[in-house]
Amino acid sequence: MGIVNVTPDSFSDGGQHASRDSALAHALRLIDEGADILDIGGESTRPGAAAVSQAEEIDRVVPLIAALAGRGVPLSVDTSKPEVMRAALAAGAAIVNDVYALRAPGAVEEVAASGCGVVLMHMQGVPRTMQVAPHYDDVVAEVSAFLKERLVALGDAGVTPDRVALDPGFGFGKTVEHNFRLLRELPRLGALGCPVLVGLSRKSMLGAVTGRAVGERVTASVVGAVLAAGRGARVLRVHDVAATRDGLRVWEAMQGQGETK
Ligand code: 7PJ
């Protein structure tokens, strides 16, 4: 799953158009590099990021989804707002990826009304403050219990587990230690019966162990992705598609199921 962020380019005078064009070019490059899914997001969920209005978020993601629909690559929309989900699905998105796990009022109903896939992610707290003092008695058990509870809530609304992928939410209300424990014990999330999605690309947990700035974390990200694959992750949400595919090819060859190219 290749990451496509549509955020205004503050260094360009072209405004909305320029950022849309560069997002489209980036998305096409990720398809070329072998992305199986594109995840399109118009709002940053990084700690301390400014909120984006519903109209603005729709304005950022919908034209890009429309431009990318029908190219043979399923599109995911990274949003927590039901109205954005609705507009994105109407424009051709096939998956809703929600870091709030559809807890916003109306979000479950929006997904239930369509046949789309869903990514349910765990987060402790809210983005603005989630990294202040994350606390768990047993992080793996608590993340599992949360995801299981969300699966039940979706099931009650008619969204069956075969439409769902589960994500531990690396970096979302977790210390470095919590994140690596979740990675180590990832098979316990797989035991819930849904495919597991992992997003650790360029994240600060990798900076914490390598000492590297965000722009220098490709190697660490690829190693993290391969480790996650080895622990059962079925979808890897990444910025660096080509590099990740190279890493996965090595792992797959070892498994005896290597793709040839
Ligand atoms: C994730 C996400 C993640 C899912 C972001 C970033 C922060 N969606 N959206 N999982 N992270 N499902 O990419 O650094 O880990 S935004």
Side-chain angles (χ1 to χ4, degrees):
M1 173 186 268
I3 301 169
V4 182
N5 289 316
V6 202
T7 43
D9 178 0
S10 49
F11 300 102
S12 155
D13 310 331
Q16 207 75 271
H17 249 305
S19 56
R20 251 183 229 152
D21 288 352
S22 69
L24 179 60
H26 184 67
L28 295 175
R29 196 178 102 202
L30 296 187
I31 292 174
D32 209 44
E33 290 182 1
D36 294 318
I37 303 171
L38 291 180
D39 187 40
I40 296 160
E43 180 183 35
S44 173
T45 42
R46 287 180 183 284
V52 175
S53 77
Q54 167 185 316
E56 172 69 18
E57 203 179 325
I58 289 174
D59 201 44
R60 290 182 187 178
V61 299
V62 164
L64 185 62
I65 290 168
L68 290 167
R71 290 180 196 254
V73 175
L75 306 174
S76 155
V77 62
D78 187 345
T79 189
S80 300
K81 299 187 181 82
E83 299 81 0
V84 180
M85 294 173 192
R86 181 183 301 194
L89 292 168
I95 301 167
V96 169
N97 170 30
D98 184 5
V99 300
Y100 281 96
L102 305 181
R103 285 178 288 166
V108 171
E109 290 76 6
E110 216 50 72
V111 162
S114 94
C116 69
V118 189
V119 181
L120 296 177
M121 198 198 78
H122 173 273
M123 166 164 47
Q124 183 180 82
V126 293
R128 200 172 53 78
T129 53
M130 67 190 176
Q131 290 308 110
V132 174
H135 174 82
Y136 302 85
D137 291 324
D138 179 337
V139 67
V140 183
E142 289 169 49
V143 167
S144 290
F146 170 84
L147 293 173
K148 192 170 174 181
E149 177 207 300
R150 296 307 299 151
L151 262 182
V152 170
L154 262 68
D156 289 347
V159 182
T160 48
D162 58 309
R163 290 172 54 186
V164 181
L166 302 177
D167 181 344
F170 289 109
F172 285 84
K174 283 136 193 134
T175 63
V176 173
E177 191 177 87
H178 293 141
N179 287 318
F180 279 101
R181 178 178 289 271
L182 282 164
L183 182 56
R184 188 161 64 244
E185 301 192 26
L186 204 61
R188 285 172 60 188
L189 291 188
L192 293 173
C194 294
V196 171
L197 183 150
V198 159
L200 42 68
S201 187
R202 302 184 185 175
K203 282 188 178 172
S204 61
M205 63 187 282
L206 304 175
V209 296
T210 60
R212 295 200 182 272
V214 64
E216 303 171 343
R217 295 178 189 159
V218 179
T219 306
S221 298
V222 171
V223 172
V226 171
L227 290 173
R231 282 160 181 73
R234 296 288 305 279
V235 185
L236 303 161
R237 182 180 178 278
V238 305
H239 299 88
D240 305 289
V241 171
T244 306
R245 283 187 75 89
D246 278 1
L248 289 175
R249 283 215 172 85
V250 175
W251 176 72
E252 286 167 350
M254 179 194 73
Q255 300 283 101
Q257 59 194 32
E259 291 175 47
T260 49
K261 195 182 173 190

